[in-house]
Amino acid sequence: LCRPTTCKKAPRFTASAHRGGGGDAPENTMEAFLMSVREGVDCLETDCHLTKDGHVVILHDAHLKRVTGLDKYVHETNLKEIPPLLGELEDINRPGWKLDASGFKDRHIPTLDELLEGCPDSIIHLDIKGFSPDLPKQAVEEIRRHGAQDRVILGSFNESTVSKLREFKDVARLHSMQRIVLMTIAYYTGFLPYLEIKESQFSIPMWSPDYKASRVAQKWPSWKIVIAEWLIRGMNNPGMLSHLKGRGVQTCMWVLNNEEDMTQALDFGADAVMSDHPRLMMDTIRKYFVRRA
């Protein structure tokens, strides 16, 4: 049980641009991805859905209204019917925070093919979303077609989706949220050293005012927020991160949008951080390791 051996080992990285760097450029667009690459980010985190006519598109929301103004779901819409992103974009994780995207010329929603071709040297952390049971298989087929199996990490919050991903042995995958909760409980009850770890990377949330204020959390009853805070603060434990690292598991903490949180995550022992702001993230990481040296 010393090291994970039941899945493909995930590629290692230090900095991950959340939604491609959606705090500095229109989220999940080629403008954002290429900007993050220029800043030196080595991993691009993003999400995908399947359109009505069978295209894997890069987009966070299942519904198109927030980012395009079109009142339809992605799976109900053909690729050519999807409008470009709006000129002003609201971040669902930070209520009231908006990005003026009007100065960016290319705001079209890219396909997975475009992303893999346009960023051939980047690690891609791809979250499988949407309602289509065909999406995992189709995404993997496109990854294989580009020969990108060694630089893509597949993930999902949903355990049933992760179970489907286990069928594809040649592409690395992340845990589901259920798995990281299980790992956290196992750590505090003393069973983690005896628990088999099937993943070679964990993506761990950090509790912050942004997380508590997010639109998702605001829909929760107060008791659920209390439990979520307790669990997430439990995950933010240097001892647990050290144990995982000792077993060959990489940890990435998300979504960190200020220097203080990023520095704290690195102090905890996280191998990587994820942020909406790639330039700030890279500056913070460089300063952190210069100080450590």
Side-chain angles (χ1 to χ4, degrees):
L1 299 183
C2 276
R3 291 181 180 271
T5 56
T6 58
C7 68
K8 184 182 176 72
K9 194 169 182 63
R12 302 186 72 82
F13 59 91
T14 303
S16 179
H18 185 237
R19 300 187 198 171
D24 295 342
E27 63 180 70
N28 291 322
T29 61
M30 291 308 299
E31 290 256 22
F33 295 127
L34 293 173
M35 175 204 64
S36 293
V37 171
R38 289 193 297 271
E39 291 293 340
V41 172
D42 50 1
C43 179
L44 305 172
E45 187 276 342
T46 189
D47 313 271
C48 67
H49 295 264
L50 197 64
T51 64
K52 184 179 179 180
D53 52 347
H55 292 273
V56 181
V57 290
I58 299 300
L59 185 68
H60 177 271
D61 298 8
H63 200 277
L64 291 161
K65 189 168 181 63
R66 177 182 70 90
V67 291
T68 71
L70 182 65
D71 193 11
K72 291 180 73 174
Y73 284 95
V74 178
H75 71 273
E76 300 172 333
T77 314
N78 293 323
L79 178 62
K80 290 185 178 180
E81 298 169 345
I82 299 178
L85 269 59
L86 297 169
E88 185 176 72
L89 295 169
E90 183 179 356
D91 188 335
I92 59 172
N93 291 326
R94 294 181 284 177
W97 190 94
K98 295 181 180 180
L99 174 75
D100 181 3
S102 59
F104 295 88
K105 292 182 180 179
D106 184 5
R107 301 200 303 271
H108 86 279
I109 292 172
T111 62
L112 177 57
D113 273 329
E114 287 178 81
L115 173 58
L116 292 172
E117 186 172 337
C119 300
D121 300 317
S122 297
I123 296 167
I124 309 294
H125 168 180
L126 186 65
D127 209 27
I128 304 293
K129 283 189 162 64
F131 303 101
S132 173
D134 298 326
L135 177 56
K137 182 178 180 181
Q138 186 149 340
V140 169
E141 286 175 353
E142 294 190 14
I143 291 164
R144 288 169 175 164
R145 190 161 61 247
H146 285 267
Q149 298 97 312
D150 291 334
R151 64 182 183 93
V152 175
I153 309 166
L154 297 174
S156 175
F157 279 106
N158 188 288
E159 179 61 32
S160 63
T161 300
V162 172
S163 295
K164 290 181 182 178
L165 296 177
R166 292 190 182 114
E167 300 172 13
F168 311 110
K169 306 295 186 185
D170 57 336
V171 183
R173 68 174 186 278
L174 284 168
H175 57 85
S176 66
M177 185 51 70
Q178 291 97 315
R179 283 282 294 171
I180 190 62
V181 169
L182 173 64
M183 292 291 163
T184 303
I185 294 171
Y187 174 75
Y188 283 98
T189 55
F191 287 101
L192 187 53
Y194 310 102
L195 193 66
E196 183 181 19
I197 298 179
K198 298 180 179 180
E199 303 85 3
S200 60
Q201 186 180 99
F202 280 133
S203 186
I204 299 172
M206 175 181 272
W207 187 260
S208 69
D210 279 350
Y211 197 103
K212 189 172 183 179
S214 69
R215 223 183 250 180
V216 174
Q218 287 303 305
K219 294 177 181 178
W220 296 344
S222 57
W223 64 265
K224 191 171 183 179
I225 293 176
V226 170
I227 291 174
E229 180 173 2
W230 177 79
L231 279 170
I232 292 171
R233 287 192 186 279
M235 296 172 192
N236 302 164
N237 184 300
M240 187 172 83
L241 269 61
S242 176
H243 175 89
L244 292 172
K245 183 177 289 189
R247 293 178 67 177
V249 179
Q250 183 185 31
T251 54
C252 175
M253 297 192 76
W254 57 274
V255 174
L256 316 178
N257 286 320
N258 60 67
E259 185 173 345
E260 182 182 358
D261 284 348
M262 295 179 205
T263 300
Q264 186 176 38
L266 294 170
D267 282 341
F268 283 162
D271 298 295
V273 295
M274 183 188 297
S275 176
D276 293 303
H277 300 285
R279 180 172 296 174
L280 172 64
M281 175 171 57
M282 294 309 299
D283 287 346
T284 301
I285 291 171
R286 291 186 189 106
K287 284 194 292 185
Y288 181 87
F289 286 108
V290 165
R291 287 197 303 268
R292 289 287 298 271

